[in-house]
Amino acid sequence: MIATLRNAWRVDDIRKKLLFMLFMVLIFRLGNSVTVPFVNTELLTGFFRQEMGNTILALINTMSGSALERASIFALSIQPYINASIIMQLLTIAIPAFERMRKEGGEEGKKKIEKITRYSTIGIAALQGYAYYLLINREGFLDPTATGIWPPIVIVATFMTGSAILMWMGEQITEFGIGNGISVILFVSIVARFPVELWSMISGVIAAPSTWWIYTLMLLGALAIIVLIVIVNNAERRIPVQYSKRVVGRKMYGGQSTHLPMKVNMSGVLPIIFAQSIASIPATIVVFMPRWSDSWLMRALDPSSIAYMVIYFLLIIFFSYFYSTVQFNPIEIANNLKKNGGFIPGFRAGKPTSEFIQKVLTKITLFGALYLAIIAITPILVSFFSETARMSGIAMGGTSIIIVVSVALETIKQLESQLLMRHYKGFLE
């Protein structure tokens, strides 16, 4: 890996891309330190660390690199853009007009969908920014001088502008840098919290030396999760495909053997993000409406309860199957194979082929869903049985590790592919 990075640095255009990406990351980190006006950030930070727990706001705070608890200009991070992108993906499947735009519109249709996604990002950022302002105002975190209509306009507009800037920065990194820009920003946001979390663990050991073995187990568990993520992220089921021979003029085409790759975890980390967002709705409602905290439903769905973990587990399974169905259409794959003269040995072209692909898809999706669910649930179970782990905020660890490792692997693959095009040797040695 070090040799590959060294070789990449020697190539002028790749070095420029890396420097551009680092410059954008620097701007992002500087923006995370600039707070919006009229907000008492000290009280807000204390409130987040004491009251948020496993709510959706805690998830957004993790994804923003603690920018939400500081009320910085990038407090909403790239969550509005991610939500808008997911909504557009669902609408593209549900609304025929959007589907035709994507399939038949070509590059122009793609640009129209991207334009709609950008406008949707601004709208979602406005709603989230206003909701966040209401929370700040209700809890009394505004400065006493912040009266009238001007403070809410400035605060919400700043949040909207920050989301728009991050969206633009992500697109610029994708076009002129290395890797997916949105993923890189998310990666940096999560990694930026690691030194704080590490220092918190060290402070915990210093304050209570008898708990050293708990933190050691937590670190070993994190390393084991990283190894598992790397293995599963690269795992795929390869279905053999044979192409029949055909003669065109005096030349013979086809006859070669290949395979149809199906990734074990083709939906990535999206099922966890969606499941955590929905499962955290009750705890989030309590944040905005404290009088509901004593209701039986809220007590049953508390983030530290068994019921919450069961619902969270089942939601991850559901969204894993949902996204695998959205991304991989067995009928379309079978039809494409049939049109190109391809077939799976032992199965007739057409419906039998699509049924076989669907059967394989169901099995590997179950394995991928269980893998995601176990990684997401394990830190919560550890925090449920250990007060020390609960105080260290380990419940968010599974999601963060999956995102960080997946983005790192994807970025390294893109860097390696660019090196291979320039005849450099890297990981494939």
Side-chain angles (χ1 to χ4, degrees):
M1 181 175 179
I2 296 177
T4 302
L5 293 175
R6 185 170 59 248
N7 289 333
W9 190 258
R10 293 172 181 171
V11 181
D12 289 340
D13 55 343
I14 297 182
R15 183 169 64 249
K16 291 179 181 178
K17 291 181 178 181
L18 290 172
L19 289 174
F20 179 81
M21 182 181 68
L22 292 175
F23 175 73
M24 285 294 179
V25 168
L26 176 62
I27 297 298
F28 167 61
R29 292 304 302 161
L30 290 176
N32 263 4
S33 301
V34 180
T35 59
V36 299
F38 308 116
V39 178
N40 190 324
T41 55
E42 293 183 2
L43 294 177
L44 181 62
T45 301
F47 174 75
F48 259 86
R49 295 178 180 177
Q50 295 177 7
E51 303 293 337
M52 288 297 98
N54 287 329
T55 66
I56 187 61
L57 295 180
L59 175 63
I60 296 176
N61 187 50
T62 301
M63 301 304 175
S64 66
S66 301
L68 191 66
E69 69 180 30
R70 294 194 297 265
S72 73
I73 60 176
F74 294 150
L76 301 182
S77 189
I78 41 85
Q79 290 297 319
Y81 181 79
I82 293 177
N83 294 336
S85 300
I86 293 173
I87 291 172
M88 284 304 302
Q89 290 178 10
L90 299 178
L91 291 179
T92 300
I93 298 171
I95 300 178
F98 284 143
E99 187 175 5
R100 287 194 301 269
M101 186 186 302
R102 179 177 63 87
K103 290 184 177 181
E104 303 172 5
E107 190 65 26
E108 191 65 26
K110 182 180 178 181
K111 289 181 179 178
K112 289 181 179 178
I113 292 178
E114 290 177 352
K115 188 176 181 180
I116 296 173
T117 303
R118 294 189 186 101
Y119 286 129
S120 301
T121 299
I122 300 300
I124 293 174
L127 292 175
Q128 291 185 349
Y130 182 67
Y132 190 39
Y133 163 77
L134 292 179
L135 174 64
I136 294 174
N137 187 36
R138 180 178 65 83
E139 296 295 332
F141 299 144
L142 291 178
D143 291 336
T145 58
T147 57
I149 196 174
W150 182 246
I153 292 177
V154 171
I155 293 174
V156 176
T158 304
F159 288 149
M160 290 173 56
T161 305
S163 294
I165 292 174
L166 282 183
M167 177 178 61
W168 176 82
M169 290 172 60
E171 293 176 350
Q172 297 303 304
I173 292 175
T174 302
E175 185 174 358
F176 301 108
I178 299 292
N180 182 280
I182 300 300
S183 299
V184 169
I185 291 176
L186 194 59
F187 173 88
V188 173
S189 299
I190 296 175
V191 170
R193 290 176 56 91
F194 284 179
V196 177
E197 299 295 336
L198 182 60
W199 176 249
S200 176
M201 294 176 63
I202 295 174
S203 301
V205 173
I206 295 175
S210 61
T211 61
W212 66 269
W213 63 274
I214 297 179
Y215 290 104
T216 302
L217 289 178
M218 289 166 56
L219 291 175
L220 293 176
L223 292 176
I225 289 176
I226 291 174
V227 173
L228 178 62
I229 293 172
V230 173
I231 294 174
V232 177
N233 194 73
N234 295 323
E236 61 183 19
R237 169 73 156 87
R238 297 182 177 181
I239 301 177
V241 176
Q242 180 74 35
Y243 286 91
S244 58
K245 297 180 180 179
R246 53 194 176 96
V247 178
V248 180
R250 294 183 178 181
K251 294 184 178 181
M252 180 176 293
Y253 296 89
Q256 73 270 23
S257 298
T258 182
H259 63 270
L260 177 65
M262 299 176 65
K263 292 185 70 66
V264 173
N265 182 30
M266 63 178 63
S267 56
V269 76
L270 287 177
I272 289 183
I273 294 176
F274 258 46
Q276 195 163 32
S277 300
I278 294 178
S280 301
I281 288 177
T284 306
I285 292 175
V286 172
V287 173
F288 290 94
M289 296 185 176
R291 65 179 182 274
W292 291 7
S293 59
D294 292 332
S295 63
W296 66 270
L297 181 61
M298 296 304 177
R299 289 196 300 270
L301 298 180
D302 184 85
S304 60
S305 66
I306 297 296
Y308 172 87
M309 286 183 253
V310 172
I311 293 174
Y312 186 28
F313 187 92
L314 295 177
L315 284 173
I316 293 175
I317 302 293
F318 168 76
F319 281 113
S320 296
Y321 274 98
F322 175 78
Y323 272 101
S324 66
T325 303
V326 168
Q327 294 178 353
F328 202 93
N329 189 342
I331 298 177
E332 184 177 350
I333 297 296
N335 291 336
N336 290 336
L337 288 176
K338 186 176 181 180
K339 290 178 183 178
N340 293 283
F343 63 93
I344 298 175
F347 298 91
R348 289 186 292 109
K351 186 177 180 180
T353 298
S354 65
E355 290 178 348
F356 172 73
I357 295 176
Q358 180 63 54
K359 184 179 179 180
V360 174
L361 178 64
T362 302
K363 290 181 178 179
I364 65 173
T365 301
L366 177 61
F367 181 84
L370 291 175
Y371 144 78
L372 287 176
I374 290 173
I375 289 181
I377 289 294
T378 299
I380 301 178
L381 282 173
V382 173
S383 63
F384 178 79
F385 290 106
S386 172
E387 180 66 25
T388 303
R390 188 181 307 116
M391 295 299 295
S392 65
I394 193 177
M396 293 290 177
T399 304
S400 301
I401 293 176
I402 290 178
I403 293 175
V404 168
V405 176
S406 299
V407 173
L409 290 174
E410 185 61 31
T411 304
I412 289 298
K413 284 182 180 178
Q414 291 195 24
L415 183 61
E416 182 69 19
S417 65
Q418 295 197 29
L419 287 175
L420 288 175
M421 288 191 295
R422 292 163 177 81
H423 307 290
Y424 273 99
K425 294 180 180 180
F427 292 120
L428 300 183
E429 274 190 319

